[in-house]
């Protein structure tokens, strides 16, 4: 795979300085214009303030880029026709010469190929509700089961089947630890209602686990660091429960299925919480990016 690393990212990787991978789907498909570009620049600035190099990842004209300059970020934020690319789409996008924003699975794959070990995102995909009927499961899980990368996230999206997702991660052999908590976060919520067996309390502990992964030399699976959104910035739990129930009912009534379910539910939550779900989402992402930069610094200082 021919990767285009920005000069800044290449120099940092070659010198073993801290680098944090960032996905681009939130820029192209997760936020309205012009706020999407503002948030993209803000998140990169958060990484820099913590002493690390941001590596926002996307595919431009069929070429996977690890690290984008301002003009390239502007393209992802404002150009019409930007595709949404999972890891399965990468060869098709490359051969077709199209441009696309990378999801968790594509970002994790390209980051690992570039030698970037730490990746910050909002929430992971997972096992969908009614899985026994639809067999719908995010590609994130399988990719993370075979990719050596540390993913800092706010758990999985609360619209998913959280206990089934945790069970699936266990089956796949993906390590999961709560950051400063023994509860698995629920994306918009600090606590999904489900426990985690392991807790890590500082970036140095996370880096120790990463080193242990390499020493063990076992399967190339990920480490998920589940970092809860601060309670004061989470979506009101009662509001979340009510609106999510309404969203699931509306989704069923509209006959939405497959890949359309997640964007339908997320849009319903944003509109029927007056934007509070989006505010909680951004609070979670900022916290994850900040923590990821600190972990990358601890890892680079080994």
């Amino acid at each position: 795979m021919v990767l285009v690393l920005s000069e800044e990212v290449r120099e940092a990787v070659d010198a073993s300085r801290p680098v944090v991978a960032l996905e681009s789907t939130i820029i192209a498909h997760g936020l309205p214009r012009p706020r999407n570009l503002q948030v993209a620049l803000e998140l990169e600035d958060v990484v820099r303030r913590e002493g690390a190099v941001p590596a926002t990842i996307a595919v431009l004209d069929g070429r996977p880029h690890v690290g984008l300059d301002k003009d390239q970020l502007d393209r992802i934020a404002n150009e019409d026709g930007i595709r949404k690319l999972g890891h399965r789409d990468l060869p098709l996008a490359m051969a077709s010469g199209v441009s696309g924003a990378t999801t968790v699975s594509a970002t994790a794959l390209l980051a690992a190929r570039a030698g970037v070990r730490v990746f910050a995102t909002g929430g992971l995909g997972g096992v969908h509700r009614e899985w026994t009927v639809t067999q719908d499961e995010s590609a994130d899980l399988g990719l993370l089961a075979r990719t050596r990368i540390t993913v800092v996230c706010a758990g999985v999206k609360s619209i998913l089947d959280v206990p089934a997702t945790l069970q699936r991660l266990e089956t796949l052999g993906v390590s999961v630890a709560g950051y400063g908590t023994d509860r698995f976060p629920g994306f918009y919520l600090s606590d999904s209602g489900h426990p985690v067996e392991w807790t890590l309390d500082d970036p140095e502990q996370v880096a120790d686990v990463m080193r242990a992964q390499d020493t063990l030399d076992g399967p190339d699976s990920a480490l998920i660091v589940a970092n809860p959104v601060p309670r004061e910035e989470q979506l009101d739990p009662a509001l979340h429960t009510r609106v999510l129930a309404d969203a699931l009912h509306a989704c069923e009534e509209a006959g939405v299925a497959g890949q359309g379910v997640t964007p339908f539910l997320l849009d319903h939550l944003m509109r029927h919480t007056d934007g509070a779900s989006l505010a909680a989402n951004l609070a979670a992402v900022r916290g994850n990016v900040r923590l990821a930069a600190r972990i990358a610094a601890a890892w680079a200082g080994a």
Side-chain angles (χ1 to χ4, degrees):
M1 182 182 294
V2 179
L3 295 178
V4 181
L5 274 64
S6 70
E7 183 178 354
E8 182 184 28
V9 170
R10 182 180 300 281
E11 289 178 354
V13 169
D14 289 346
S16 297
R17 296 199 304 270
V19 182
V20 175
L22 303 171
E23 66 166 286
S24 50
T25 294
I26 189 174
I27 305 170
H29 302 286
L31 296 168
R33 301 172 182 170
R35 193 175 185 189
N36 56 347
L37 180 58
Q38 295 167 357
V39 169
L41 294 171
E42 176 192 349
L43 295 179
E44 290 207 342
D45 187 55
V46 169
V47 173
R48 295 185 196 283
R49 288 201 303 269
E50 295 295 336
V53 172
T56 302
I57 295 178
V59 176
L60 295 172
D61 304 315
R63 305 183 71 190
H65 286 253
V66 180
L68 303 180
D69 62 27
K70 177 69 178 345
D71 289 340
Q72 291 167 335
L73 280 172
D74 187 83
R75 280 191 65 186
I76 291 297
N78 294 308
E79 188 173 293
D80 293 333
I82 295 291
R83 300 284 293 266
K84 183 177 181 180
L85 305 177
H87 71 280
R88 70 168 189 168
D89 304 307
L90 291 174
L92 295 161
M94 292 170 65
S96 303
V98 305
S99 298
T102 52
T103 64
V104 166
S105 67
T107 304
L109 175 62
L110 294 174
R113 293 290 187 272
V116 178
R117 186 65 178 268
V118 182
F119 166 33
T121 186
L124 297 181
V127 177
H128 286 244
R129 296 166 188 253
E130 303 294 331
W131 181 88
T132 55
V133 176
T134 66
Q135 300 287 292
D136 193 356
E137 175 186 310
S138 171
D140 295 355
L141 305 186
L143 190 283
L144 294 177
R146 56 183 185 271
T147 305
R148 182 65 57 82
I149 195 163
T150 295
V151 183
V152 183
C153 63
V156 299
K157 296 177 177 68
S158 54
I159 59 176
L160 302 173
D161 188 329
V162 177
T165 300
L166 287 169
Q167 181 60 55
R168 185 69 175 134
L169 287 167
E170 179 182 347
T171 300
L172 291 169
V174 178
S175 300
V176 178
Y179 189 79
T181 181
D182 61 359
R183 310 295 295 176
F184 192 67
F187 191 46
Y188 301 121
L189 305 176
S190 300
D191 182 355
S192 69
H194 302 279
V196 288
E197 296 183 11
W198 297 95
T199 301
L200 300 171
D201 293 314
D202 57 53
E204 288 71 26
Q205 280 189 315
V206 179
D208 285 342
V209 176
M210 295 164 64
R211 286 189 282 272
Q213 283 182 310
D214 292 347
T215 299
L216 184 62
D217 195 27
D220 280 337
S221 57
L223 168 63
I224 294 175
V225 180
N227 181 40
V229 62
R231 288 190 180 276
E232 63 274 14
E233 295 184 281
Q234 71 173 342
L235 183 61
D236 177 72
L239 177 63
H240 173 271
T241 299
R242 176 176 60 79
V243 175
L244 178 56
D246 292 342
L248 291 167
H249 178 72
C251 188
E252 182 178 359
E253 287 288 306
V256 179
Q259 290 185 336
V261 171
T262 294
F264 180 93
L265 294 177
L266 293 177
D267 179 68
H268 188 101
L269 279 167
M270 185 176 70
R271 288 187 292 106
H272 290 82
T273 61
D274 293 326
S277 66
L278 179 58
N281 182 358
L282 290 176
V285 172
R286 291 185 189 99
N288 295 341
V289 168
R290 186 176 300 108
L291 175 58
R294 293 172 181 175
I295 292 170
W299 170 251

